[in-house]
Amino acid sequence: MRRVLVITLVAVLVLCGGGTALAGWMWSRTAISTVGDVDFTRPLAIPPLAASHVDEQGRRVFDLRAAAGTTDFGRGGPTRTWGYSGGYLGPTLRASRGEKVLINVHNGLDEETTVHWHGMHLPASMDGGPHQPIRPDATWSPTWTIDQPAATLWYHPHPHGETEFHVYRGLAGMFILDDPAASALPLPHRYGVDDIPLIVQDKRFDGAQFGERSSVLGSLGILGDTVLVNGTVGPYLDVSTERVRLRILNASNARTFNFGLADDRSFAIVATDGGLLPAPVVERRVQLAPGERAEIILTVRPHERVVLRGYPADLGTNFIMERLSGGDDTFDVLEVRAAATLRPSADVPSSLVDVPRIDPAESVRTRFFDLADESINGAEMSMRRVDAVVTKDTVETWEIRNRDGFPHTFHVHDVQFQVLSIDGDQPPLYLRGWKDTVYAVPNAAVRIIARFTDYADPQSPYMFHCHMLRHEDGGMMGQFVVVEPGQRVHVHGD
Ligand code: C2O
Ligand code: CU
Ligand code: CU
């Protein structure tokens, strides 16, 4: 309610000639550009690959410890941060299709948290959503078998109503999956050499500390003016090969980035959230809302420097909301520095992997999800209410309707879906692969289709929600369960 009033007030100020001076001042302060102002003096940190061992039951075992710490961002003093097994962010987990993993997550914070495996197909009781809280000093040890294509997934907290600050303070990491089909392709694949994770986040600094005040205008919570990549401010990346694969994760709370190169060169998009595309898609921009990923192949020439930039995003909302939601902002994100001589890289293959289309004729039902006022279909998230009961081994079509015109996204746990249409149109080519998060275009409908396989459990729900974390915490989230045909649901909320 309050944000609607504030926005209406600003709209009135901007539109009627009256308070023009004040409105003009407020307006000019609301667009950010860091172009030319970032001096790229720090080498890009590469999150270490998490150590693991295989136990006597053949499970690949990882250990993560969430804890508070400090990080030096070059702000003239240590910044208080949270991290997994380190000061800020977490190590990169990596496993192959068919492997069984076991992850011991220790909570070294003074408050409850959870760890959710975003993009993973796994039993709901292992999903790390709000129903799997980890108390301080406790350890949670989910285990499951990796059973999905090679992809760039990630992990982050998901405590009920508290996700925004847990992620913002630094709890997030990448989870890379491999499979034989992907490994056989001549794509750059040496981690930290020509296969680079880029965890992109915007922060607002208040002195040396992360500012946690949200902007009074807009609805998205915290929009920062400083971009971190893998926790590095002003990063550069030395490249020694002709091509480099960038695995870009937008791990921001609320900011949508429209990535491109500063000289406007094109690049090949080879993967989205849930894995490789059928064929590379050559583009000059790839827009990622919070939670989305893309893998791109960038080609460089010897000795050059080229900047990865966040161009103004197309949020598709009205011009005032666009500005207040960061859609007019521009950021210099990362400087790529090519060596004087570059080792040759293979050409980007013209076809990648088979992505079987899910046939809409197989869909057994269509559900509608209306996003508005931090609710879905008029209801705020409740741990006790199951919003959708899905029968195992069926295909469903979900239509997401952005009704309030604010920027939203839609993320579904457990499955990778395909986008059927955006506002009635075919999605662009690069959105025709596997997705788990999609931008919910204001005042339009996005239709997605998914097959819900395995792991029927009438007691444990999965989540679907807006990945703008302020909205998720505010209640724009719901629960679904996957059941055997005819099985009854009994979910206990806390
Ligand atoms: Cu990345 Cu339910 O979240
Ligand atoms: Cu998720
Ligand atoms: Cu939202």
Side-chain angles (χ1 to χ4, degrees), residues 97 118-120 148-153 177 179 270-277 291-295 353 355 415-417 433-437:
R97 188 166 198 167
H118 179 130
M120 198 74 75
Q148 64 192 93
T152 301
L153 310 186
L177 302 184
D179 73 11
V270 294
T272 52
D273 304 343
L276 293 166
L277 294 167
E292 290 188 297
R293 290 86 69 206
E295 296 178 29
V353 296
V355 178
V415 293
Q416 290 291 336
F417 54 75
W434 296 114
K435 294 284 294 166
D436 56 51
T437 307

Side-chain angles (χ1 to χ4, degrees), residues 407-409 466 468 471 476:
H408 300 296
T409 64
C466 178
M468 304 291 187
H471 295 175
M476 195 174 264

Side-chain angles (χ1 to χ4, degrees), residues 326-372:
D328 294 338
D329 300 345
T330 315
F331 293 96
D332 275 354
V333 173
L334 168 75
E335 186 177 68
V336 175
R337 299 181 179 173
T341 51
L342 296 172
R343 266 175 291 143
S345 305
D347 287 343
V348 180
S350 56
S351 75
L352 298 167
V353 296
D354 191 32
V355 178
R357 298 307 302 165
I358 306 178
D359 183 355
E362 277 193 77
S363 179
V364 299
R365 71 179 287 173
T366 301
R367 295 179 199 266
F368 297 89
F369 299 87
D370 282 7
L371 309 185

Side-chain angles (χ1 to χ4, degrees), residues 219-220 371 374 404 406-409 466-472 476:
S219 76
L220 290 174
L371 309 185
E374 301 202 349
D404 64 7
F406 288 85
H408 300 296
T409 64
C466 178
H467 219 288
M468 304 291 187
L469 300 182
R470 172 65 55 93
H471 295 175
E472 172 187 337
M476 195 174 264

Side-chain angles (χ1 to χ4, degrees), residues 146-215:
I146 306 293
D147 186 18
Q148 64 192 93
T152 301
L153 310 186
W154 64 303
Y155 60 96
H156 64 77
H158 217 300
H160 187 41
E162 307 286 338
T163 298
E164 178 182 22
F165 292 111
H166 284 219
V167 173
Y168 187 72
R169 291 169 190 158
L171 294 177
M174 240 181 218
F175 201 141
I176 296 177
L177 302 184
D178 298 299
D179 73 11
S183 300
L185 292 168
L187 293 171
H189 63 268
R190 279 165 301 164
Y191 184 82
V193 178
D194 60 5
D195 182 350
I196 311 290
L198 299 181
I199 303 176
V200 182
Q201 301 171 300
D202 61 324
K203 299 291 167 188
R204 174 183 298 176
F205 280 92
D206 187 356
Q209 304 308 318
F210 285 160
E212 295 194 348
R213 275 175 306 109
S214 41
S215 68

